[in-house]
């Protein structure tokens, strides 16, 4: 099964968590204080990352959470957008490596 992944930048994680929790009718499954939040619903894998070096609200990347993916991979499309492909464990490992 594939689920679209959307990753945005923010300058205010707390407000973003409040906003997107309402929009997605779900709470984040992971919150790294002042850094990152991840929501997973039946249809979307959605994250926001606080990054003052990137314009607030900018698309960081797109991708697929793919239960059949065996490794993490990424490529850049014709429009310069980064697309990631990963399984759930790949994503959790990336989060663990960045913040723990």
């Amino acid at each position: 099964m594939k689920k679209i992944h959307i990753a945005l930048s923010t300058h205010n994680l707390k407000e973003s968590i409040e906003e997107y929790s309402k929009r997605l009718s779900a709470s984040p499954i992971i919150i790294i204080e002042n850094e990152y939040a991840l929501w997973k619903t039946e249809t979307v894998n959605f994250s926001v990352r606080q990054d003052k070096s990137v314009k607030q609200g900018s698309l960081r990347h797109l991708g697929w959470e793919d239960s059949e993916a065996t490794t993490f991979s990424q490529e850049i499309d014709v429009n310069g957008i980064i697309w990631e492909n990963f399984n759930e464990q790949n994503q959790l490992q990336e989060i663990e490596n960045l913040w723990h």
Side-chain angles (χ1 to χ4, degrees), residues 5 23-24 36 40 46 48 60 64-65 73 75 79 92 95-96:
H5 171 60
R23 290 185 180 277
L24 296 169
Y36 177 85
K40 290 176 75 167
F46 181 83
V48 292
R60 293 183 49 249
W64 296 106
E65 178 188 333
S73 64
E75 57 186 28
N79 293 304
L92 295 175
I95 293 165
E96 178 74 20

Side-chain angles (χ1 to χ4, degrees), residues 32-89:
I32 308 296
E33 193 171 336
N34 298 316
E35 294 283 341
Y36 177 85
L38 173 67
W39 290 257
K40 290 176 75 167
T41 72
E42 288 185 25
T43 56
V44 69
N45 176 312
F46 181 83
S47 67
V48 292
R49 185 171 178 180
Q50 188 160 300
D51 185 347
K52 301 272 186 187
S53 70
V54 179
K55 182 179 175 190
Q56 181 168 329
S58 295
L59 176 67
R60 293 183 49 249
H61 58 267
L62 294 170
W64 296 106
E65 178 188 333
D66 183 353
S67 61
E68 295 183 17
T70 56
T71 62
F72 173 88
S73 64
Q74 71 178 32
E75 57 186 28
I76 299 175
D77 74 11
V78 67
N79 293 304
I81 297 171
I82 297 170
W83 283 83
E84 296 180 344
N85 193 59
F86 54 86
N87 63 37
E88 181 177 24
Q89 188 58 41

